[in-house]
Every structure is written in structure tokens, then in C-alpha cells.
Amino acid sequence: MGIIRKQYIDFFPAYRKQLPRTAAAAEAAVYLIPHHVSRQQRRVQQDARTGRYACGRRRLHGGDVLCGVRHLHAGAVDDQLRQLLGSGDCPVDTPLTAAGVRCRNMRNWLGYLGASALYHDFNICLSGRATDVPVGEDQIHHIELTRYLAKSFNRNFNTIFPRCRALTGESPKIRSLRNPEGKMSKSDPNPLSRIELTDSPKDITEKIKKAVTDFTSEVSYDPDRRPGVSNLIDIHMGVTELCAEEICENAFLNALTTAMYKATVAEAVIEHLKPISDSIQRLKNDPGHLEKVLKTGQERAQAIAQDTIMEVKQAMGLR
């Protein structure tokens, strides 16, 4: 079985190229919608679910599952796998720490690092038999940890967990429109720093128009020396599947300055997001539909996780 932790796969076509779409993979894919636990963020939670479903609904196959992360964290599934992998009955080798210490079980190792929050990341991947995980470059180390632990468990007991791979796409990090040295983030207090799925065409145009670039009018791709313009090109590539060379050549042939090029990027983003925005509006008008989808996904995802727990226990000789 496979699990795909779904973020904005359909926002960037580069992700879609890497996803396995064989019949077997389609039957096994699980799409997870991250959740927010804060009461103050309930609206954000609902918007996130609606937006991610709107992004991915065109790709959902008959065997695919859509559910919230909390549906796998809730109850005994998450705790059981955590306890099994962190127990003395499961001597999983861990990577060396920065101080050269190698712990013989995961609980001690994460406690040494003070990184127990990572439990949630690899528990979801392992319990769902993760195969492909779209992430940003700042999350790759979580995937590497999961791969390491899966390999160690399979070597010591039985081959149960696949070694998942990180799908980073051609642009693993989309940078802030206001600070191209940092990543685009929904937690940034400045709304001009990001493009949201619910932004109107006017908002998108205004945000890209005000995006920080530099004093050079030429459109060229150089992430190190021209991060602002390069970030716009990354976004343009993501929504059109053009490469950087083609974009820069077209800008040169049409004598586009950086300011003029921003309008081109805005048009491309607006066109790409329009069907998603329309889908979001339809879902907001019918909130019961998404709740039904999540409930069905919860039941199926928990069944996958329960089967995994049972096989892990059998491999460890606990039942």
C-alpha cells in the first residue's frame, strides 16, 4: 500500500510528473490533508481542507483516499506504532547525532535531539506504507529519517515498510514575494508575501506587481544573485511547465522588462488557479460533501494503519 502526503501537488505540474499512476499505485494512494489544532485556526483548517481537495479532486481515482492527518493521529494507531518502534523489543539503529552518539532505539534518539515532534511525520508515513511524499526542501530530512528507520526495521525483522521517496519537484522552495531570501509561507504576517488559492485576479496581479526584484530590467534566471526575479520565473515554470531558458528567451524576444514580465507571470498564475478557485467556491457552497469524503477517507486510512500495526506486531513476535 502507498501513501502520498498531499500538499499542493496539482498546483505545480512538476510534482505530477513524478507520481506513479499505475493501476496498482492508484488503488493504494492515500491523500492526507494536514490539520490545525488551534481553535483560533478553525477557519484556516476548513479553508486548507477545501483548498487541497479542490487542487486534487481531478486526480482522485476510485481507490484513492482523502483524509485528515488527525484521523491517523487519533486513537491507538499513532500511539501503538510510536510505542512499538520506541520499545526495547524494537532495536532500531538510528543515525549518528552531531555529537557522534548512536542510540539503539528511536525513543532515546529523538529524546536526545529534543525532536519528539518528528514522531508525527514518520508515524504517518510508516503506518500508511508511504511510497511518495511531496515535500519542500526543508522537510527532506524528515523523509530521510523515515527511509532510514524503514530500512533498519526491515533488516532486523521483516520487510514491511517501503522506503518512501521525497518528491521535491523542479522548484522545491517557492520564495516569499516580499523577501525572496525566505520561503513563501501562509504564516507570514504580510499577505503580500504569498499567493493564496482564494485570491482574486486583482489580488494576484497586485501581489506579483509589488514582488521584490532588483534594479536590473533584464529577465534572467540566477537564484543566487537575482533571487527575486528567479522566484518569479520559478512560479512561472510551475504553472506553465516552461523551463527557465524558454521563459528568459521569450522575455528577450518580446523585449520585456522585469516590470512587464510581472504582468506575464500574473496572467499565467490567474489562468492556472481559475479552475481551482471555482472548485473552492463550489465546495464552500456544499460543505457537507467534503465532510463525507473525509469521513470515508478516515475509515479507509485507519484500516490501512491498523493492518500495518498488526503486521509490525507479528514481525516482532508480539502476537
Side-chain angles (χ1 to χ4, degrees):
M1 294 181 178
I3 179 170
I4 299 177
R5 185 169 187 179
K6 184 165 182 60
Q7 298 288 346
Y8 286 94
I9 295 176
D10 282 276
F11 186 78
F12 295 110
Y15 280 138
R16 298 204 296 269
K17 296 177 183 177
Q18 302 182 59
L19 291 176
R21 294 319 309 172
T22 63
E27 293 174 358
V30 178
Y31 294 83
L32 290 178
I33 294 189
H35 83 295
H36 304 271
V37 297
S38 172
R39 282 187 177 179
Q40 292 83 352
Q41 292 184 320
R42 283 184 178 178
R43 182 185 60 80
V44 176
Q45 173 186 357
Q46 187 62 33
D47 288 346
R49 289 178 173 180
T50 304
R52 287 176 173 86
Y53 182 45
C55 285
R57 65 183 306 179
R58 293 165 296 163
R59 289 188 48 79
L60 291 177
H61 293 251
D64 291 353
V65 179
L66 182 76
C67 70
V69 169
R70 64 183 176 88
H71 296 144
L72 290 185
H73 280 193
V77 173
D78 189 51
D79 290 336
Q80 283 187 55
L81 186 60
R82 181 187 312 181
Q83 291 170 7
L84 287 170
L85 296 181
S87 69
D89 296 317
C90 185
V92 179
D93 292 334
T94 60
L96 287 172
T97 66
V101 176
R102 185 183 296 280
C103 303
R104 290 303 174 182
N105 68 65
M106 192 160 44
R107 178 182 298 168
N108 291 344
W109 183 72
L110 290 177
Y112 181 87
L113 295 180
S116 59
L118 290 179
Y119 266 132
H120 294 301
D121 293 291
F122 63 71
N123 273 357
I124 290 297
C125 291
L126 293 177
S127 65
R129 310 289 181 91
T131 54
D132 301 89
V133 188
V135 293
E137 62 181 17
D138 56 337
Q139 298 295 318
I140 290 178
H141 62 287
H142 290 194
I143 306 306
E144 291 303 316
L145 169 63
T146 303
R147 286 169 53 85
Y148 192 100
L149 296 174
K151 177 182 178 181
S152 181
F153 182 94
N154 293 342
R155 181 178 64 246
N156 292 336
F157 296 98
N158 190 19
T159 302
I160 293 179
F161 302 116
R163 296 183 66 189
C164 60
R165 62 171 182 157
L167 302 182
T168 58
E170 297 174 2
S171 301
K173 177 187 287 188
I174 300 301
R175 302 182 182 277
S176 166
L177 296 177
R178 301 301 299 167
N179 176 24
E181 299 297 330
K183 70 176 183 178
M184 184 180 291
S185 172
K186 63 181 180 295
S187 60
D188 193 313
N190 187 352
L192 294 177
S193 68
R194 61 185 175 273
I195 298 171
E196 301 190 19
L197 296 178
T198 54
D199 281 342
S200 67
K202 180 179 178 181
D203 290 337
I204 293 173
T205 301
E206 190 68 14
K207 289 180 178 182
I208 293 179
K209 179 181 178 180
K210 294 182 177 180
V212 172
T213 52
D214 52 40
F215 296 103
T216 302
S217 62
E218 178 186 0
V219 178
S220 62
Y221 190 72
D222 188 342
D224 293 328
R225 291 186 291 184
R226 304 192 68 195
V229 176
S230 299
N231 185 43
L232 294 178
I233 294 176
D234 281 333
I235 294 174
H236 196 179
M237 286 192 291
V239 299
T240 63
E241 297 187 347
L242 293 172
C243 67
E245 290 76 11
E246 292 173 318
I247 290 173
C248 293
E249 182 179 0
N250 289 338
F252 176 77
L253 293 177
N254 290 283
L256 297 182
T257 63
T258 300
M260 297 165 64
Y261 174 65
K262 287 181 177 181
T264 301
V265 177
E267 291 176 5
V269 172
I270 291 169
E271 180 181 357
H272 187 79
L273 290 185
K274 187 179 187 308
I276 298 175
S277 300
D278 293 344
S279 181
I280 288 174
Q281 190 57 50
R282 287 194 297 270
L283 288 169
K284 285 185 175 181
N285 293 336
D286 184 16
H289 173 71
L290 184 56
E291 291 302 319
K292 291 178 182 178
V293 172
L294 289 169
K295 186 176 185 298
T296 301
Q298 170 189 356
E299 296 169 354
R300 297 179 64 186
Q302 285 184 335
I304 294 172
Q306 289 287 5
D307 289 343
T308 302
I309 294 293
M310 185 178 299
E311 291 187 40
V312 168
K313 287 183 176 180
Q314 290 175 347
M316 295 174 62
L318 299 179
R319 60 181 300 175

